[in-house]
Amino acid sequence: MSNAAPLPASSVEAMTDALHAALFPAGEPDGTRALPPREEAIRLFRRHLSRYQAHVREEFEHHRLGGAEAGKLLAAYTDGMIRVLGAYAMAQTGIDSHHEAPFAIAATGGYGRGLLAPFSDIDLLFLTPDAQGEDMRACVEYILYFLWDLGLKVGHATRTINECIAEAEADTTVRTTLLDARILTGSESLFSMFQARYIVACVKSGADRFITDKRKERAARHQRFGDSPYLVEPNVKEGRGGLRDLQTLYWMCRYTFGTRHVSDLLAPGFSELGLLTEPEAKRARRAWDFLWRVRFHLHYVSGRAEERLTFDVQPVVGGRMGYTRHGRQVGVERFMRHYFLTVREVMRLTLVLEPAVLRQALGPVANAPEADSQMRDAGFTVIDGRILPQRGTSFENEPIQMMRLLDWANKRKLPIHPMAMHQLIRWERKAASLRGDPETARIFLDLMCGAPPERPQRAARAEEEKPEAIPSFHLMDEGRRKGNAYWLHILNETGLMGRLLPDWSRVVGQMQFDTYHVFTVDEHIIDALRILGRVEHGHMADEIPIAYDLARNLHSRRALYVAVMLHDIAKGRGGDHSEIGSQIALYVCPELGMDSEETETVSWLVLHHLLLSHTAFQRDIDDPKTILDLADIIQSPERLRLLLLLTIVDMRAVGPRVWNAWKATLLNELYMRVAEVLEGSLATTERDVRVERAKAATAAWLVEDGMNEAEVQHFMRLGYGSYWLSFDHDTHARHALLIGESERLHSPLTVETQPLPARGVTEVTIYAADHPGLFSRIAGAVAIAGASIVDARIHTMTNGMALDTLWIQDAGGAAFEEPQQLARLSLLIEQAMTGQININREIAQCGRRVSGRRMRAIHVPPRVVIDNRASNTCTVVEINGRDRPGLLHDVTAALSEQKLQIASANITTYGVRAVDVFYVKDLFGLKITDKGRLDALRTALLSGLQEAEAAAQRRSSELESITI
């Protein structure tokens, strides 16, 4: 807790008394003095409300109150206001207040616990006797309407005692809400009767049902708000490891041990039960107050009951809490790291405390396994089906026993006893002495890699929907952790992982302030290892078939797992994390007992772990030089397999929407082409031979389909060499039919769309007279239609016509396939080509899809990179900028203004950052080699990008102000 002054009760009483005196000049509502009218009373209450809210805010923001203390003070002020309002309402509605009031007003929910956030609801229970008079109902309505007129959000219920008990029996949420009820004003005898009967009803219904329901409720809440505590935009109140998890523990303990408040869990006296040590309780107290401070700042910054730490408020809240840049780490990343380490403490508390609550409430586990002689000889036993060290086994004196405990638990499929978790956390610092120890390394690798599948088989679809065969060891985790990821979470959350691998401790809770990554670095790595384990065992064969096929024949299994563990280990250090990570691998691998060959493989994989994704999504894989350069770097078919698996699990673990069918298709095509070169079956340098083969195969297909020889030869003469190497025979045949039909009809423009759901894209083919700016107009039409271009092949035929092929997706990353969507897209392309629409104005109208303040909080500096080494025939222009509707149109228009021809385009987005790569030539079809022109091109593109971005930001801000 904060070292702030104790709750200033005197100020609460003084302000409440002043309000009471203003309403009741005679000192009590005896009816002898005229009460102020309702409008005057509302004015008095509003002034009182604004005064105490401002007072709490000032005390909090000047750091004279901690988070939980500010919540208590706000609740205390609200208590006083409700009491005075109750007296005023009863006087106004003619209820005799000389005697005990006929009903009671009680605070429930969070307000009942004596804590209130600035914009939280005020939850009230109007407890009435069985016989309700009209004056009573009128008084309740008067109070509610009065509070609403004050602008307060009120959650309310009017019930008798019998109704309260019946509702609580039927709904666990109501039971929980009433559990914390406390009287504010009114009939104390009625409320005491309610409390007595309610306690009896709760005891009768039993703690087991309540605890089971709360755990189910928590599981559903975690599912709704993101199952991981390490989401980069966490929910402070409802997310895993947040305030609600601490409150759930309190509710369970309330039933089991009789605690009356969350703070009771964390009070020094609670540790006397033996469930928590005092240092653990102290850390939990700090976590409780830290989360409340974050919540208060979040409400004040947002001006509403906002519980999610989104990107736009993270820097503001972090700055208000005093987090500034330290070395290479900016203030917002330091703040969020502290947040994630705090929720880890909450999860540790849950892991330690909840099993003890369950045992007390539900009794010992039936038919639990017992320790055998081998386990006892090793120093371990089993209680309630959970493994823990025997008396006399000391983690302090024998740190290796911590790893042996995990080894036995893994081999016997046993959950870990909370007392063992206690000791692992308490003595984790001793694990530093185990670095380089062969037995520790063996156990660590066994836990991380798991057992290899004996006969890898595709898991049946029905099997995929069932839980994994490996049991869920933490029963309170509702099956979240399974397989190798379970052990990695244990190692990470106890702190053992950071002690064994000091470099790991630097990425625990490390977030990247962008919208591409969904998890913190450590959680991302663990999830990647989990996915690799599932791929290897055939559980994701339907989703990632190529990965399943590759994983069946691995010769360097341990190296791959360690490479996945280390691929992002250097994030947040500045510099190239791939290069730094490869150096880290050179000393970490020997410590893990790996030989020199494995060490070299791991270091190489970490160094190049972005190579395949960068090439597939940002380079033209139809360019022979792209494939040759890649083959020169990789050199080995085994390394190619390992690198592709690492790429796939890395991408799949970034976030649910990053991996899609189109990216899988590109990576698969790239893999097949590089593998072809490495195996020596066909050299990419035999370009002329490949062109002739493609033409011959296409001609044979066309003749077989009934096209006459003259038409076939005419089509063969239309394409340059690059065209024949860019598509398969099916596509060539479709192009021949499209061009033939267009020429017969003398059509100036032909648009053909073909949804490809299996690849997650729609292919759009456009045949039209070529002219400067053609692709820019097409890109503008696609943006107006609400689609995104992910890849493009642009060909000028020998007859001067352009044959452009685009692959597009909708906003959700799926194929653009609805008939009305495709019809509108074709119409928009035609209108854009003929000048019937103003593209710039129409794109401006798409401003509603521009990201709001949350996305604009992420800084995306424009960047232009020109590379003349990536292709033998084209200059490669790479443009980085903020993703927005019309970006591709603006960029291609700028390239057209520079008198450049676009041969192909690759478009990739990483959250709010877009990377558009173009293979361009000058008007003579040559690479741009003049240094002066390259510099001028870079300057012009960067300037245009900055101006277009500024204009788009202005439009977005204007639209936002209009909406507000």
Side-chain angles (χ1 to χ4, degrees):
M1 295 290 285
S2 169
N3 294 322
L7 185 73
S10 58
S11 67
V12 175
E13 292 171 2
M15 288 182 68
T16 303
D17 289 345
L19 177 64
H20 190 279
L23 289 166
F24 304 106
E28 63 176 276
D30 57 2
T32 59
R33 297 284 185 111
L35 294 173
R38 188 177 187 277
E39 293 74 15
E40 175 65 15
I42 285 178
R43 186 183 65 79
L44 290 171
F45 272 92
R46 278 185 180 147
R47 185 172 64 181
H48 174 76
L49 181 65
S50 62
R51 283 183 63 199
Y52 81 66
Q53 287 178 337
H55 173 67
V56 173
R57 182 166 186 167
E58 181 183 5
E59 293 292 300
F60 174 73
E61 292 184 341
H62 285 80
H63 308 292
R64 292 190 286 268
L65 285 176
E69 289 170 328
K72 290 177 184 177
L73 181 58
L74 197 56
Y77 274 123
T78 307
D79 289 352
M81 183 183 70
I82 298 293
R83 290 188 184 106
V84 175
L85 176 58
Y88 177 77
M90 282 188 274
Q92 286 284 39
T93 54
I95 294 178
D96 184 4
S97 58
H98 283 90
H99 303 93
E100 188 177 57
F103 66 97
I105 304 176
T108 59
Y111 180 36
R113 292 187 293 276
L115 284 164
L116 205 57
F119 292 94
S120 290
D121 291 3
I122 298 173
D123 295 323
L124 297 176
L125 168 66
F126 295 93
L127 188 65
T128 65
D130 291 335
Q132 300 178 15
E134 284 298 327
D135 55 348
M136 196 184 309
R137 281 193 288 271
C139 185
V140 170
E141 288 182 5
Y142 192 98
I143 292 171
L144 288 174
Y145 280 108
F146 200 101
L147 290 171
W148 290 331
D149 286 345
L150 290 176
L152 297 172
K153 290 185 293 183
V154 183
H156 62 94
T158 304
R159 298 189 183 106
T160 65
I161 295 176
N162 289 333
E163 287 171 342
C164 285
I165 293 173
E167 289 286 338
E169 179 66 24
D171 189 339
T172 301
T173 302
V174 174
R175 191 194 307 193
T176 306
T177 299
L178 296 178
L179 197 64
D180 295 310
R182 61 185 176 87
I183 189 168
L184 296 175
T185 187
S187 174
E188 293 192 9
S189 60
L190 182 66
F191 187 76
S192 297
M193 188 186 303
F194 157 74
Q195 281 190 309
R197 289 187 58 190
Y198 188 70
I199 290 170
V200 170
C202 288
V203 170
K204 184 178 178 181
S205 64
D208 53 347
R209 179 186 156 195
F210 177 78
I211 290 174
T212 300
D213 287 347
K214 294 312 293 182
R215 293 174 67 213
K216 288 180 180 177
E217 182 184 278
R218 182 183 58 192
R221 172 169 50 82
H222 287 167
Q223 188 70 29
R224 189 166 66 254
F225 289 96
D227 199 42
S228 171
Y230 304 113
L231 294 168
V232 294
E233 289 187 303
N235 190 296
V236 177
K237 180 183 176 184
E238 305 287 357
R240 184 181 283 267
L243 285 166
R244 188 69 81 198
D245 277 6
L246 274 172
Q247 289 163 350
T248 300
L249 273 181
Y250 148 67
W251 288 319
M252 292 180 180
C253 291
R254 175 80 182 268
Y255 254 88
T256 309
F257 302 113
T259 54
R260 298 292 299 176
H261 196 275
V262 178
S263 58
D264 294 345
L265 290 181
L266 316 177
F270 193 75
S271 59
E272 294 175 5
L273 291 173
L275 301 177
L276 292 179
T277 63
E278 180 51 31
E280 287 170 333
K282 186 176 180 180
R283 288 196 299 270
R285 283 195 291 274
R286 286 200 300 263
W288 175 247
D289 190 67
F290 175 83
L291 292 173
W292 265 101
R293 279 191 291 133
V294 171
R295 191 181 182 204
F296 255 72
H297 281 298
L298 192 52
H299 278 215
Y300 284 140
V301 168
S302 304
R304 62 181 185 276
E306 178 60 66
E307 311 295 352
R308 189 179 175 207
L309 264 174
T310 52
F311 288 118
D312 56 322
V313 298
Q314 286 174 10
V316 183
V317 173
R320 288 164 65 102
M321 293 180 69
Y323 292 89
T324 57
R325 175 181 284 275
H326 184 74
R328 292 190 181 96
Q329 197 170 36
V330 296
V332 64
E333 291 184 353
R334 292 183 62 224
F335 162 59
M336 291 306 296
R337 186 161 194 257
H338 189 179
Y339 175 85
F340 291 122
L341 292 176
T342 299
V343 299
R344 186 175 75 164
E345 285 298 332
V346 175
M347 293 174 64
R348 282 180 169 184
L349 185 68
T350 302
L351 291 176
V352 166
L353 196 54
E354 187 169 327
V357 174
L358 292 175
R359 191 180 196 283
Q360 181 76 16
L362 309 179
V365 178
N367 302 319
E370 297 181 354
D372 55 31
S373 58
Q374 285 183 305
M375 190 183 295
R376 286 192 294 270
D377 291 344
F380 305 105
T381 188
V382 177
I383 296 178
D384 292 337
R386 296 170 178 268
I387 188 170
L388 75 163
Q390 290 188 120
R391 186 168 297 176
T393 300
S394 170
F395 290 167
E396 180 183 14
N397 297 327
E398 294 182 274
I400 187 63
Q401 289 291 78
M402 291 189 284
M403 297 302 294
R404 289 172 180 163
L405 172 81
L406 299 178
D407 193 30
W408 277 100
N410 181 30
K411 289 188 290 189
R412 299 299 170 86
K413 301 294 182 284
L414 290 170
I416 297 173
H417 197 280
M419 291 175 62
M421 290 294 295
H422 250 155
Q423 294 187 46
L424 289 173
I425 294 169
R426 183 179 181 186
W427 299 112
E428 47 94 5
R429 65 183 183 278
K430 292 290 183 179
S433 64
L434 301 176
R435 295 173 201 157
D437 174 66
E439 185 180 1
T440 299
R442 192 265 308 165
I443 294 172
F444 177 81
L445 290 176
D446 285 350
L447 294 175
M448 182 176 70
C449 302
E454 294 180 8
R455 290 191 182 92
Q457 295 178 354
R458 281 182 189 262
R461 187 175 297 273
E463 238 180 81
E464 183 69 18
E465 296 171 357
K466 297 178 183 177
E468 292 177 53
I470 300 172
S472 169
F473 298 146
H474 280 325
L475 299 180
M476 75 287 293
D477 265 1
E478 291 88 23
R480 179 172 72 95
R481 298 176 182 178
K482 302 168 184 177
N484 59 347
Y486 166 76
W487 298 111
L488 293 167
H489 278 113
I490 291 291
L491 288 166
N492 193 31
E493 288 166 15
T494 56
L496 290 172
M497 192 112 160
R499 296 294 182 177
L500 295 172
L501 303 170
D503 293 286
W504 178 270
S505 64
R506 299 181 64 165
V507 298
V508 173
Q510 173 70 43
M511 72 163 286
Q512 298 164 87
F513 194 59
D514 62 39
T515 58
Y516 180 62
H517 296 88
V518 176
F519 302 111
T520 55
V521 177
D522 55 328
E523 184 74 0
H524 161 70
I525 293 173
I526 291 174
D527 200 43
L529 287 162
R530 176 188 68 84
I531 291 167
L532 178 57
R534 287 178 59 76
V535 165
E536 191 182 18
H537 285 79
H539 290 295
M540 301 180 76
D542 290 337
E543 183 182 348
I544 318 175
I546 184 174
Y548 160 76
D549 293 333
L550 293 172
R552 287 186 301 174
N553 302 305
L554 283 181
H555 300 296
S556 307
R557 183 173 180 270
R558 285 201 319 177
L560 178 59
Y561 272 89
V562 175
V564 173
M565 180 188 72
L566 297 179
H567 78 278
D568 277 349
I569 197 76
K571 280 285 182 73
R573 299 195 187 193
D576 187 330
H577 75 280
S578 301
E579 293 181 4
I580 300 171
S582 70
Q583 295 300 312
I584 291 173
L586 293 176
Y587 61 79
V588 167
C589 291
E591 287 182 356
L592 294 177
M594 304 181 80
D595 59 35
S596 58
E597 181 185 353
E598 288 178 305
T599 299
E600 183 188 0
T601 299
V602 172
S603 179
W604 184 90
L605 287 170
V606 173
L607 177 63
H608 296 291
H609 75 271
L610 297 175
L611 179 63
L612 289 182
S613 59
H614 176 271
T615 304
F617 310 143
Q618 300 178 28
R619 291 294 180 264
D620 184 358
I621 62 175
D622 290 319
D623 188 328
K625 190 174 187 302
T626 300
I627 306 303
L628 279 177
D629 289 347
L630 206 55
D632 285 343
I633 295 172
I634 296 173
Q635 297 183 349
S636 152
E638 172 70 2
R639 279 190 172 181
L640 176 61
R641 287 192 289 270
L642 295 172
L643 191 59
L644 181 58
L645 277 171
L646 172 54
T647 302
I648 289 171
V649 299
D650 182 21
M651 289 183 61
R652 181 62 176 73
V654 166
R657 295 181 61 180
V658 171
W659 179 260
N660 57 38
W662 174 245
K663 291 179 178 177
T665 299
L666 290 178
L667 283 171
N668 187 34
E669 289 181 2
L670 180 63
Y671 169 77
M672 298 303 293
R673 294 181 189 192
V674 177
E676 191 178 64
V677 175
L678 292 175
E679 292 166 5
S681 59
L682 180 65
T684 59
T685 50
E686 299 171 342
R687 189 171 187 272
D688 292 341
V689 174
R690 296 181 68 192
V691 168
E692 290 305 317
R693 287 180 180 176
K695 292 174 72 173
T698 301
W701 278 43
L702 292 174
V703 170
E704 188 176 325
D705 285 347
M707 184 177 286
N708 64 57
E709 186 65 29
E711 290 176 329
V712 171
Q713 291 306 314
H714 171 66
F715 179 64
M716 292 296 108
R717 290 192 294 270
L718 289 180
Y720 292 102
S722 60
Y723 167 76
W724 296 108
L725 297 179
S726 296
F727 302 100
D728 57 23
H729 307 317
D730 275 341
T731 307
H732 285 143
R734 283 195 292 107
H735 288 172
L737 294 174
L738 181 146
I739 291 172
E741 183 70 13
S742 176
E743 290 179 343
R744 277 192 296 275
L745 297 175
H746 302 288
S747 175
L749 171 68
T750 303
V751 179
E752 180 184 87
T753 58
Q754 182 179 23
L756 304 171
R759 300 171 68 181
V761 292
T762 294
E763 185 177 298
V764 181
T765 307
I766 300 158
Y767 185 64
D770 196 15
H771 60 79
L774 174 67
F775 184 62
S776 178
R777 288 180 172 273
I778 295 170
V782 171
I784 296 167
S788 298
I789 299 174
V790 295
D791 201 357
R793 294 291 178 271
I794 299 160
H795 296 281
T796 300
M797 314 304 277
T798 57
N799 61 357
M801 298 290 283
L803 183 64
D804 294 352
T805 305
L806 321 175
W807 290 270
I808 66 172
Q809 292 179 329
D810 63 16
F816 205 70
E817 56 183 335
E818 293 296 326
Q820 62 270 25
Q821 289 179 318
L822 298 175
R824 182 168 180 261
L825 174 63
S826 298
L827 177 62
L828 285 169
I829 291 174
E830 181 180 346
Q831 291 176 332
M833 300 284 285
T834 56
Q836 296 178 46
I837 57 173
N838 185 317
I839 296 176
N840 291 323
R841 188 175 63 225
E842 291 294 330
I843 288 176
Q845 294 299 319
C846 298
R848 294 184 184 276
R849 291 184 281 122
V850 177
S851 300
R853 284 178 302 205
R854 173 175 164 268
M855 293 296 105
R856 292 205 304 272
I858 309 298
H859 180 53
V860 185
R863 183 167 172 258
V864 177
V865 179
I866 298 178
D867 185 358
N868 257 334
R869 296 171 299 176
S871 172
N872 289 328
T873 58
C874 295
T875 295
V876 178
V877 179
E878 179 181 316
I879 296 177
N880 292 249
R882 181 183 299 279
D883 189 28
R884 56 179 171 79
L887 173 65
L888 187 58
H889 166 71
D890 292 342
V891 171
T892 51
L895 290 171
S896 179
E897 288 173 6
Q898 294 298 311
K899 305 295 189 291
L900 297 177
Q901 302 179 66
I902 300 172
S904 66
N906 299 78
I907 291 87
T908 310
T909 56
Y910 302 91
V912 296
R913 182 168 64 93
V915 180
D916 296 350
V917 179
F918 304 92
Y919 281 63
V920 301
K921 301 177 181 179
D922 63 18
L923 293 178
F924 300 101
L926 302 173
K927 290 175 71 170
I928 301 97
T929 56
D930 180 71
K931 185 177 184 303
R933 188 174 181 196
L934 289 173
D935 290 340
L937 173 62
R938 183 183 294 106
T939 302
L941 289 173
L942 188 58
S943 175
L945 197 63
Q946 291 169 337
E947 291 174 5
E949 172 67 14
Q953 293 281 20
R954 284 194 300 273
R955 288 195 298 268
S956 177
S957 299
E958 290 167 3
L959 182 69
E960 198 170 78
S961 64
I962 293 170
T963 304
I964 291 172

